[in-house]
Each structure stands twice: as C-alpha cells, then as structure tokens.
Amino acid sequence: MTECGKDTLRDQLPLLARDALAAEAAARVRAHVAGCAACAAELAVLERAGALFTAVTPAVDTAAILRALPTPPGARPVLTVQRGGRRQARIPQYVLAAAASLVLVATLALPTIRSVFNGGPVVVVDSGIPSVPTVPVDLVGGANLSDLGVDELTALLAELDRFDGTVAVEPVAMRQAVNGDFGGDL
Amino acid sequence: MTLPATSTPATDAELIARWLSGDQRAAGELVQRHAGPLARFAASLGVRDEVDELVQDTFVRAFQSLDSFRSDSALRTWLFTILKRLLLDRKRAERRRRDVAELDERDAATEYDALDTLVGDETAARIRGAVNGLTPLQREVFTLRVNEGMAYAEIAEVVGSTEGACRVHYHNALRAIKERLSDD
Ligand SMILES: [Zn+2]
C-alpha cells in the first residue's frame, strides 16, 4: 500500500498545488509525489483547475467594499453593544446631561409657573426633589413671570406640561444616569 | 530607536476585536485577506458580472453582525457561508422573475452557470468542461478544496453537508475530471 493510501499526504495535494504548505511539509509531499504516479496525476489536475479558477476570477474593488461597510461600533457616536445576545442602544452622555438639566429646570419651575398663572400662592408639588424655590423664578433675559401675558404663560405651561411627570427620580439616581451608570458595562 | 519587526500578521479574531472597538483599518486588512478567495469561489461557481457586488454584499452582511460573530468559528467559513447563501438567494430570485414555480434549494443550486472563459489550451478546456458537468455540490466542494485547500470539515460547514459526504463529492469530482482528461 502506498503512503498516500492513508489519505494524509494526498489531502495535502490541494495545498501544495496552491503553494500553501510550509516549506518542510511541501518538501515531504513533493518527495512522495515524485515517486507516486497517482498523486502526480492528481496534483497536475489540481494545478490546472486552480489556474482555471484564478483565470475566471475578476479583480475585486476592495476600496468600494470598504466604503460600503458600516462604521465600527466603537467609532459610532451612539453605540450599539452586545449584552446577553440583545442589542441595546446607549445614549451619549452629553445628551443625557442636557436632558436631565432640562427636565430638572422644568420640574423646578412648573409649580411656580402654575401658581403665578393661577394667581394663588406658590405650591410645592412633590416631585421628589427638595427645596423648590417659593419665589417667582427669573426667566431668561431677566424678565419675570409676572411680566408675561396670559397667552405667553399658556404657551409656556403647555410646553412644560410635556415634561410633567417625567421626573420621578432622586437626584442621586439622576446623577448616576448622567454618568452612564446603568448597572452594567457598556 | 527602531521598532521590532512584526512578523506575525494579526489573526482574524484580533482584527475583528480591533474593528469592534472602532479601528476602521482592521476592516481593510480583513477585506484584503478574504475578498480574493471569496471572489474566486463565486467565479468558480459561474458568477460573472456580479462577482464584485456579491463579494461586497457578503462583507456588508458580515460586518453588520460582526459583533454577534462567534470567534470560535472561523471568519473565513462564515464569509463563504454568507456568500453561498446570497448566491442561492439570487438564483432563487432569478427563477421567480422568470415565473418559474418556487423551487427548493437543491434545484436553485443547479442553476450554476458554466465557466465560459477563454482558456489557453486543450487540457484547460477539458477541465472547464468537466467542472461545468459536475453536480452543484461536487462543484462547490471541489472549488473550495482546490482554491482554498479547505479541510473537509470546513467545506462541510460551508456547503451544509457532512465531512464524509464532502470527501466523497471531492473524489467523485476529481475522478470525473480525470476521466474527461483521458477522453480522446
Ligand atoms: Zn501518492
């Protein structure tokens, strides 16, 4: 029985044909092929077939492929990360910080605005956040709520109503959220 | 001061990790490494004008879900599997466009086109004729074995068969080609 009958050497023939064997292994297989007509014939077929397949293969535009690829997750401003087999969206910290600030200001101002608009005393709504100021809040540019007309106050209240009830977190929890501490690595 | 020469190229797994952490150049290395073999596989199965597109779609599909790729399986195997799947999808879509009733995968695979390139000599022409006459599975197995020197286990994963069956398909393909070459 020839050595190639065990199939181990013969299995190397495609690799030899494509010049993909390490020097030592290639020398060993070539030494066998030199004395084995069956393997020599097979190697010849493999070399010709390989050349044929290469001849029919067009060049590939790798630059075009790279342009078509998605951006790496680590380079995206908004990350998608794998955790427990599910994709989860991560909001950038600056967005969280801005949103938290806006909600905080809106919540603090809401009872005051309501109170002023209704003409009654300022009532502190339990928003979970202590020490809401009981004096009218200065608006941007130094204007006072009492300077605003009914229409302006109505519009302002409608705007703030969109935030109504959104803050039910302790400042500590909010700070954790802003710092990206969701209880797991992202 | 000179940096030590880096003799060992990064593994696919290392390049994937680098890309996932934001290194876009790692994608370049992966594409350089695998685009040629994927194109050769497609062309060997008779794909002509759309080789570029098919290889590009394969990479796009792979990179879209690279973060779910299991690093214990070879990226190369995965890429070839994706390409084969995309190719079958296209063949199936072609059949549908031609108003042929829904066919199963095996039938769609019989649609591999012939290699019709101009070949240099009589021997090459005979090999081409023999390859065109192989069954779809024989052609896939033979192509992967000849082009990439893939082990039967890896071929089995790509073509969706068993290692033993792939070994048989390869030897039958080889015998058919040898017989064709010995024809007068
Ligand atoms: Zn032998």
Side-chain angles (χ1 to χ4, degrees):
Chain A
M1 193 181 207
T2 57
E3 206 178 347
C4 58
K6 290 181 286 185
D7 260 355
T8 47
L9 269 172
R10 207 167 178 174
D11 277 353
Q12 309 285 307
L13 291 177
L15 293 168
L16 183 67
R18 285 218 80 84
D19 211 11
L21 281 180
E24 199 180 311
R28 191 161 37 85
V29 180
R30 279 200 190 285
H32 168 76
V33 170
C36 176
C39 281
E42 184 167 331
L43 181 63
V45 169
L46 295 176
E47 283 171 343
R48 299 306 292 263
L52 171 68
F53 291 143
T54 299
V56 299
T57 305
V60 181
D61 185 353
T62 52
I65 294 173
L66 286 173
R67 283 195 298 275
L69 293 184
T71 310
R76 287 172 202 155
V78 177
L79 290 176
T80 55
V81 292
Q82 182 74 13
R83 189 202 288 167
R86 284 185 313 151
R87 283 173 175 277
Q88 297 191 359
R90 176 179 161 186
I91 303 162
Q93 290 200 0
Y94 70 89
V95 175
L96 271 177
S101 307
L102 185 60
V103 169
L104 186 61
V105 168
T107 310
L108 292 177
L110 191 58
T112 308
I113 296 166
R114 280 233 167 88
S115 171
V116 169
F117 184 62
N118 294 335
V122 171
V123 178
V124 177
V125 177
D126 182 17
S127 63
I129 300 170
S131 65
V132 173
T134 53
V135 292
V137 178
D138 277 351
L139 297 176
V140 176
N144 195 286
L145 275 175
S146 57
D147 295 329
L148 298 178
V150 171
D151 287 347
E152 289 163 299
L153 282 168
T154 305
L156 184 57
L157 274 176
E159 198 60 27
L160 288 171
D161 268 344
R162 290 170 51 213
F163 296 102
D164 205 6
T166 53
V167 174
V169 291
E170 294 295 325
V172 172
M174 189 183 298
R175 190 168 63 244
Q176 284 174 338
V178 171
N179 291 337
D181 181 4
F182 294 102
D185 292 328
L186 291 174
Chain B
M1 191 175 130
T2 53
L3 291 169
T6 49
S7 53
T8 323
T11 64
D12 283 353
E14 287 165 349
L15 290 170
I16 290 170
R18 271 169 48 191
W19 185 80
L20 288 173
S21 62
D23 180 1
Q24 218 137 5
R25 287 167 309 170
E29 289 185 50
L30 287 169
V31 168
Q32 282 296 338
R33 187 172 294 177
H34 295 291
L38 288 168
R40 198 157 54 227
F41 182 47
S44 303
L45 296 182
V47 179
R48 270 164 281 182
D49 302 332
E50 325 87 33
V51 170
D52 241 332
E53 194 187 323
L54 193 60
V55 173
Q56 178 172 309
D57 288 353
T58 300
F59 277 109
V60 169
R61 191 71 68 91
F63 274 79
Q64 278 169 347
S65 50
L66 205 53
D67 51 1
S68 64
F69 173 69
R70 293 179 0 261
S71 58
D72 55 331
S73 66
L75 177 68
R76 176 174 80 160
T77 315
W78 193 48
L79 289 170
F80 275 89
T81 308
I82 293 173
L83 185 139
K84 198 195 154 222
R85 170 58 52 191
L86 289 174
L87 184 55
L88 286 179
D89 287 348
R90 281 169 188 227
K91 294 290 174 196
R92 216 177 273 129
E94 272 172 34
R95 299 285 294 242
R96 267 193 219 112
R97 273 199 297 277
R98 280 186 269 144
D99 269 333
V100 176
E102 184 83 22
L103 293 153
D104 70 19
E105 199 164 296
R106 192 160 296 275
D107 285 338
T110 61
E111 289 284 292
Y112 284 156
D113 296 314
L115 299 174
D116 65 350
T117 186
L118 287 173
V119 284
D121 56 32
E122 178 65 16
T123 308
R126 286 185 183 204
I127 291 177
R128 190 196 67 196
V131 168
N132 290 338
L134 297 177
T135 69
L137 209 45
Q138 280 176 346
R139 189 157 163 184
E140 289 170 12
V141 172
F142 184 72
T143 297
L144 290 170
R145 189 100 179 107
V146 171
N147 285 339
E148 313 309 326
M150 272 190 196
Y152 293 114
E154 188 178 0
I155 295 174
E157 221 177 303
V158 173
V159 306
S161 184
T162 65
E163 198 177 330
C166 287
R167 190 178 282 275
V168 171
H169 284 306
Y170 171 74
H171 286 291
N172 286 341
L174 198 61
R175 192 174 58 235
I177 293 170
K178 278 184 191 162
E179 281 170 7
R180 186 72 167 253
L181 286 176
S182 62
D183 282 351
D184 282 327

